[in-house]
mmCIF file of all heavy atoms in Angstrom:
data_model
loop_
_atom_site.group_PDB
_atom_site.id
_atom_site.type_symbol
_atom_site.label_atom_id
_atom_site.label_comp_id
_atom_site.label_asym_id
_atom_site.label_seq_id
_atom_site.Cartn_x
_atom_site.Cartn_y
_atom_site.Cartn_z
ATOM 1 N N LYS A 32 -71.490 -56.303 -29.829
ATOM 2 C CA LYS A 32 -72.281 -57.481 -30.144
ATOM 3 C C LYS A 32 -71.435 -58.741 -30.091
ATOM 4 O O LYS A 32 -71.879 -59.789 -29.640
ATOM 5 C CB LYS A 32 -72.895 -57.331 -31.546
ATOM 6 C CG LYS A 32 -73.957 -56.257 -31.645
ATOM 7 C CD LYS A 32 -75.247 -56.656 -30.927
ATOM 8 C CE LYS A 32 -75.969 -57.752 -31.676
ATOM 9 N NZ LYS A 32 -77.249 -58.110 -31.026
ATOM 10 N N VAL A 67 -31.322 -75.473 -6.126
ATOM 11 C CA VAL A 67 -32.144 -74.834 -7.166
ATOM 12 C C VAL A 67 -32.056 -73.326 -7.028
ATOM 13 O O VAL A 67 -31.664 -72.796 -5.983
ATOM 14 C CB VAL A 67 -33.616 -75.283 -7.074
ATOM 15 C CG1 VAL A 67 -33.768 -76.741 -7.456
ATOM 16 C CG2 VAL A 67 -34.174 -75.018 -5.686
ATOM 17 N N ALA A 94 -26.886 -93.957 19.220
ATOM 18 C CA ALA A 94 -28.137 -94.711 19.375
ATOM 19 C C ALA A 94 -27.987 -96.135 18.854
ATOM 20 O O ALA A 94 -28.488 -97.087 19.469
ATOM 21 C CB ALA A 94 -29.272 -93.993 18.645
ATOM 22 N N GLN A 135 -37.834 -144.281 52.488
ATOM 23 C CA GLN A 135 -37.236 -145.613 52.608
ATOM 24 C C GLN A 135 -36.409 -145.749 53.894
ATOM 25 O O GLN A 135 -35.827 -146.816 54.149
ATOM 26 C CB GLN A 135 -36.359 -145.900 51.395
ATOM 27 C CG GLN A 135 -37.145 -145.980 50.087
ATOM 28 C CD GLN A 135 -36.234 -146.035 48.865
ATOM 29 O OE1 GLN A 135 -34.997 -146.057 49.005
ATOM 30 N NE2 GLN A 135 -36.845 -146.095 47.680
ATOM 31 N N ASP A 144 -35.396 -130.897 53.431
ATOM 32 C CA ASP A 144 -35.632 -129.454 53.592
ATOM 33 C C ASP A 144 -34.632 -128.623 52.792
ATOM 34 O O ASP A 144 -34.989 -127.590 52.203
ATOM 35 C CB ASP A 144 -35.547 -129.088 55.083
ATOM 36 C CG ASP A 144 -36.672 -129.729 55.895
ATOM 37 O OD1 ASP A 144 -37.696 -130.110 55.264
ATOM 38 O OD2 ASP A 144 -36.522 -129.839 57.118
ATOM 39 N N ILE A 185 -32.725 -87.144 10.347
ATOM 40 C CA ILE A 185 -31.706 -86.987 9.300
ATOM 41 C C ILE A 185 -32.367 -86.940 7.924
ATOM 42 O O ILE A 185 -32.011 -86.126 7.065
ATOM 43 C CB ILE A 185 -30.671 -88.125 9.388
ATOM 44 C CG1 ILE A 185 -29.838 -87.984 10.663
ATOM 45 C CG2 ILE A 185 -29.771 -88.137 8.144
ATOM 46 C CD1 ILE A 185 -28.882 -89.124 10.903
ATOM 47 N N GLY A 196 -43.861 -77.585 -9.409
ATOM 48 C CA GLY A 196 -43.973 -76.132 -9.341
ATOM 49 C C GLY A 196 -42.703 -75.437 -9.785
ATOM 50 O O GLY A 196 -41.779 -76.054 -10.311
ATOM 51 N N VAL A 198 -39.772 -72.419 -8.524
ATOM 52 C CA VAL A 198 -39.218 -71.729 -7.362
ATOM 53 C C VAL A 198 -39.514 -70.238 -7.488
ATOM 54 O O VAL A 198 -39.068 -69.577 -8.431
ATOM 55 C CB VAL A 198 -37.703 -71.964 -7.253
ATOM 56 C CG1 VAL A 198 -37.138 -71.226 -6.041
ATOM 57 C CG2 VAL A 198 -37.399 -73.449 -7.148
ATOM 58 N N THR A 270 -66.021 -54.878 -3.846
ATOM 59 C CA THR A 270 -65.132 -55.278 -4.927
ATOM 60 C C THR A 270 -63.709 -54.828 -4.622
ATOM 61 O O THR A 270 -63.492 -53.668 -4.271
ATOM 62 C CB THR A 270 -65.579 -54.660 -6.261
ATOM 63 O OG1 THR A 270 -66.960 -54.928 -6.450
ATOM 64 C CG2 THR A 270 -64.778 -55.221 -7.410
ATOM 65 N N PHE A 285 -69.603 -61.189 -4.645
ATOM 66 C CA PHE A 285 -69.200 -62.471 -4.065
ATOM 67 C C PHE A 285 -68.008 -63.006 -4.844
ATOM 68 O O PHE A 285 -67.971 -62.938 -6.076
ATOM 69 C CB PHE A 285 -70.354 -63.464 -4.119
ATOM 70 C CG PHE A 285 -71.468 -63.151 -3.157
ATOM 71 C CD1 PHE A 285 -72.417 -62.194 -3.462
ATOM 72 C CD2 PHE A 285 -71.543 -63.812 -1.939
ATOM 73 C CE1 PHE A 285 -73.438 -61.898 -2.583
ATOM 74 C CE2 PHE A 285 -72.566 -63.525 -1.046
ATOM 75 C CZ PHE A 285 -73.512 -62.562 -1.361
#
Side-chain angles (χ1 to χ4, degrees):
K32 292 289 289 182
V67 291
Q135 295 171 2
D144 294 340
I185 292 175
V198 179
T270 309
F285 289 80

